[in-house]
Amino acid sequence: KPRVGPNGRREGEIPYDGGDIAEMSNGRNRGFGKRVQMISRDPFESLSPRMTVYDGVAEPLKISGIGREYEARRERVRTVLEDVGLAPADVYLDAFPTELSGGERQRVAIARALVVDPDFVVCDEPVSMLDVSIRAGVLNLMQDLKEEYGLTYLFISHDLSLIRYMCERVGVMYLGNMVEQGPTDDVVNDPKHPYTEALFDAVPDVEMREQRRRANATGEGPSPRNPPGGWRDHPRGANISPDDDWAGAQGAVRRAHPVTR
């Protein structure tokens, strides 16, 4: 639902459970923080090198006012560390991030997100910084934790194989707009938007099938700061979709909506 913000730009609502996140008061934000957490992509930057594993994982508990007694917090941190595969937890509690591997650091970041028992976790490229050999283990762990904690994940990723493995539904964004969404298998097997076709066409095919679909998305992408008028994909897509009220021929869409830079 678009609206005009203080900077004069069009802004929208961020709906969650019947409310708008962008308009929450400080008091409601604290409750929201207990229910929604985030896992960042870079475990080497998201963990403070000055805080032990215990201090980093316990910080959300302190901010949310959960477990006021030190021993209760330490026990909660110990439990979550073991849930994410860092066992025995006592070996990790007083360690610093610099003493851990990349995979262990990301498990600490996952533990930090789960320690307040959230409902919803935003995962921003959660394994992109990890070695390929340990990505599968972290993703399988996250699948198990989803069931154990009753979580809903929102994965943000360019890795289409990860999206297909982890997500029941997928949304494809282009220049800041959601251009296609639906059940993952439907979007993967029968994409409707030219950009979605190009996205999946870029995935290498080891079978080298003769009938492989070619999306033929050529040229340079438009600037997100100054997107073209009309259909945003028209400078690149071979078969572009005009607006619903377009009455002209397919080939005339580009002439009607020239690229603006």
Side-chain angles (χ1 to χ4, degrees):
K1 182 179 178 181
R3 63 186 178 211
V4 178
N7 57 6
R9 294 183 177 178
R10 285 162 57 90
E11 298 178 348
E13 294 179 351
I14 310 175
Y16 179 77
D17 196 19
D20 183 1
I21 296 172
E23 304 218 347
M24 283 185 179
S25 63
N26 289 336
R28 288 192 64 193
N29 266 330
R30 177 171 294 185
F32 173 77
K34 294 179 184 178
R35 301 185 61 190
V36 178
Q37 288 289 304
M38 180 174 181
I39 301 170
S40 300
R41 73 178 69 190
D42 190 350
F44 298 93
E45 296 292 337
S46 63
L47 302 178
S48 171
R50 296 182 176 88
M51 301 176 73
T52 64
V53 169
Y54 166 76
D55 290 332
V57 176
E59 188 174 30
L61 295 175
K62 297 176 183 178
I63 294 172
S64 302
I66 299 174
R68 298 185 181 277
E69 298 294 330
Y70 171 79
E71 285 302 326
R73 285 179 179 166
R74 196 168 179 88
E75 184 58 33
R76 173 60 181 166
V77 171
R78 183 182 288 110
T79 298
V80 177
L81 288 178
E82 294 188 351
D83 285 345
V84 301
L86 297 178
D90 289 332
V91 174
Y92 293 93
L93 284 171
D94 298 317
F96 287 90
T98 53
E99 302 174 63
L100 308 180
S101 68
E104 289 173 327
R105 293 187 193 200
Q106 194 65 319
R107 289 172 187 259
V108 171
I110 294 171
R112 182 176 59 185
L114 298 185
V115 73
V116 293
D117 198 15
D119 303 321
F120 187 82
V121 179
V122 179
C123 309
D124 181 13
E125 299 272 15
V127 295
S128 64
M129 298 293 291
L130 302 181
D131 189 273
V132 174
S133 63
I134 60 177
R135 288 183 186 179
V138 173
L139 291 174
N140 289 334
L141 167 69
M142 295 181 72
Q143 288 278 35
D144 294 340
L145 293 171
K146 181 178 72 171
E147 301 298 326
E148 182 178 348
Y149 280 77
L151 299 170
T152 296
Y153 289 136
L154 170 63
F155 272 85
I156 303 168
S157 180
H158 295 89
D159 187 336
L160 301 179
S161 61
L162 181 154
I163 294 297
R164 193 168 190 178
Y165 177 65
M166 295 295 295
C167 301
E168 298 173 3
R169 293 182 61 84
V170 62
V172 180
M173 295 193 72
Y174 182 75
L175 290 182
N177 283 356
M178 188 76 71
V179 296
E180 185 167 359
Q181 59 180 310
T184 301
D185 286 342
D186 292 350
V187 174
V188 171
N189 296 323
D190 188 23
K192 303 300 184 184
H193 191 275
Y195 179 70
T196 309
E197 289 186 0
L199 206 59
F200 287 106
D201 185 58
V203 178
D205 187 352
V206 296
E207 297 180 5
M208 298 294 290
R209 292 172 295 180
E210 295 182 1
Q211 301 300 320
R212 181 175 179 180
R213 179 181 67 248
R214 293 294 177 185
N216 191 27
T218 59
E220 182 181 354
S223 169
R225 290 180 176 273
N226 187 22
W231 191 256
R232 292 189 169 199
D233 196 43
H234 76 258
R236 302 182 73 191
N239 297 310
I240 59 177
S241 302
D243 298 331
D244 292 338
D245 58 354
W246 179 255
Q250 172 75 40
V253 181
R254 286 189 177 83
R255 295 194 296 274
H257 300 294
V259 179
T260 57
R261 294 288 181 181

